[in-house]
Amino acid sequence: MRKFFSLTVATAAALAAAWGSSAGQNATAQDPKQQDAKPAAVKKGLGATPASSFRLPEGFQAELVYEVPSKEQGSWVAMCVDLKGRLIVSDQYGKLYRVTPSTTGTPADTKVDPINVNLGMAQGLLHTKDGLYVDVNGEGILDKDQKDAPRGPGLYRLQDLDGDEQFEKIERIIPLTGGGEHGPHAIIPGPDGRLYLCAGNQTDLPEKIDRSRVPRHWNEDHLLGRMPDARGFMANRLAPGGFILSFNADGSDVELVSTGFRNEYDIAFNPLGDLFTYDADMEWDIGTPWYRPTRVNHVISGAEFGWRNGTGKWPEYFADSFGAVANIGYGSPTGIAFGTGAKFPAKFQNALYVSDWSYGVVYAVHLEPEGASYKSTFEPFVSAAPMPVTDLLIHPEQGCMYMTIGGRKTQSALYRIAYNGSESTQPAVFPDNDSAKAARAARRELEAMHVPGAKLDISAAMRNIGSPDRALRTAARLALEHFDSKQWRDPIQQSLRPQSAITMAVALARKGTPADQVDVNNSLLRIEWSKLDSTQRLELLRAYQLSFLRLGPADPATREKIIAQLDGHFPTADGDSLVDRELARVLIHLEAPKIVDRCVAQMNGSNSAEQQIHYAFCLREAQKGWTPETRKAYFQWFYDIGTARGGASFGGFLENIRKVAIGNLEDEDKAASVDELAEKFAAKKGGFNYERGKQMFAVAQCYKCHRFSSQGGIQGPDLTASSQRFSTKDMLTAIIEPNKEISDQYEATVFQTEEETVIGRVANLNGDNLMVATNMLDPGNFTNLKRSDIIDMKPSKASMMPSGLLDTLTEEEIFDLLVYLQSGGNPKSDRYALNTPKR
């Protein structure tokens, strides 16, 4: 019996319970369709969570500073400290406020004053001597009748020109396009005197970028293609995804620092001058091989972090990406901050605090320099149920932590966390070591080549291109990619050490021309597989992928050499699942002998649902090498995995993979036409098998939608008496060509919103909410739409009945299914006694 190990809603609920969260499902705060993600107690209008219910390390104490009156002051999502030590906060959908926190321990003594400007809706705030910076999500203006007010998403600078603590001048210094909860986010000062801003993947790069540390030749780079999100969310958003900018105080000299994030809400520098962020997962992907958990990233210069839509998210081991310092798990990243300046014990002064909105946890991430990057451990610092934390900061004068909860119009509040224990709170030194200092200096030497006007130091680049330190070899590769490949390509023709050859091949594949392909492939062919560790094998396979993608397909002779180099190692002798995944990807592309047979065997032999899905995905486009046995085993797998569960898009992804696979069947593998089948069926003289017909009714997944003999679903018409209404040809037509004629009773609707297109049938109504069934094979999985968000709706020309249901059945199996339908499910029916089938 095949076992499936997938991450389920129940698992997520168990994890939530472990942290004391009342959130029963994983729901990322940045996904607007997850409107049911509000923590339960907040939904019930029970007011702000008492500070006494917070779980904190020994010696720490939390106090409620202010409970935000929702109707008057909204729900706070961003804050900063002004030049006088007060807080400035923003309502997610409304005004800015100046907050003077109570020092008496009585929330009523906290003073909150609205800031008198026609601007708000900020998800990032910063106050410096140069003004108040407001990173606006949405239109920004509060008084829409003020026609001359600057408006639209982007970074604004507000300035007090006469010292009266009012802001007379408002400038939109960096216009941005795209907003919402994947829009512009935090704004922070950098140790270099510049400002830094981050934005999610629904934000376009600004029109004017003066320079880019990221080599501007990014692409999707999927060897076997990708499929968009199964529910259509952001299906048209392509690379580079979320990004980080730096610039001068007046918004000039805009520099692109890094790309490839999903929805990083906040950024922070550590005392050593390195930048970090906490990036969001796509919780709808849970259970799939392309799911990536929420994760802390060390943002090195020019790095790409691999967000792509749908199935396309790069695994963190891709050589042209950069991985995570810490993989946290399910969650909804919001505010982050280092504990620098806090009057906390040393361990907590040096921690990076990262906030999870959905599960109500702030984690303390303990970073230790390792080579040119960091290693980490993490632990919960503060948690409660509910505690939808939106932002946090360390007050530079008071040495305490301020934390806001709220978001999405939930009950908001401001808290203060201080340490009252016995440990020393004297300023701590951030941990470091001599080898890390040297590696960090080498990385920064390489990063200095990532800007216009720099000179290529080829010796420094080549010295580090083969480094076992990923940060160093990434910085070296990016340095090369900033220069014309003619200046540095020659060493690839030599016998380099394996890691150097691999990283050079990645750089030249990305930066070079098709004329470089021979040298790239020959360099990789000189490498001995047996001498590589797992990381090097993964990077070798990615280098081949980039060669095929960027420089063109290998010629037949080279193709045979690459197959000879790789084919004998799949599957790996030590069961390295990640290497097996990438070997399968490359060998399927190369059409290696018997690769389909081996991948189907791996798919059906694995205990991991994620591993199985990877093989199914890779095989969907394979058109050569199939046998009737492997074809049937492949499509049978889709039926077998029907019990596995994952995120909201899980079932849709499986169905979409299956549809693509069916669409790529060779003509001789497809079911015969309706007329041919009807004629052959009419000519058959008895011998029908009741049990096999019943089995085929299940294999074709008919029970999921149709009721038959008092069993099955109700999404489609009852088929028990179908033989009394339809001829054999009518039944075959309805199954094989479901779009030919669609009954009004079962017609789907195309719903269009500004963000997505949803095709399905309304299964339930609740006020403004429509619950739409989009996949008849997963009828309990709904897409929620608000009527007010729908801008157009029209009948669908496509049937809700899946196509290709019979494409994997033999003629005999199809005939047994037809007779089973005609019998009404009765094994004693005369259909099994007659010699001539019914026309």
Side-chain angles (χ1 to χ4, degrees), residues 8 44 64 95 171 181 215 272 300 306 328 340 385 438 464 482 508 526 540 556 582 598 617 693 700 743 749:
T8 64
K44 298 174 183 177
L64 176 64
K95 295 180 180 180
E171 302 172 274
E181 293 183 348
L272 301 180
I300 64 173
I328 303 295
T340 309
N464 292 286
H482 275 281
L508 193 52
R526 286 194 287 266
L540 169 71
E582 299 311 313
R598 284 177 285 159
F617 175 79
S743 167
T749 301

Side-chain angles (χ1 to χ4, degrees), residues 491-508:
I492 202 169
Q493 300 174 18
Q494 306 166 13
S495 293
L496 300 170
R497 291 180 181 273
Q499 185 64 69
S500 297
I502 292 167
T503 311
M504 281 286 288
V506 170
L508 193 52

Side-chain angles (χ1 to χ4, degrees), residues 42-43 56 114 133 142 167 182 351 387 527 536 552 655 663 665 671 698 716 725 736 738 753 824 828:
V42 175
K43 282 186 190 179
L56 286 155
Y133 293 89
L142 305 176
F167 298 102
H182 290 240
M387 195 186 81
I527 297 172
Q536 291 170 330
E655 176 59 18
L665 289 171
R725 305 194 306 273
I736 296 173
T753 72
K828 297 182 180 180

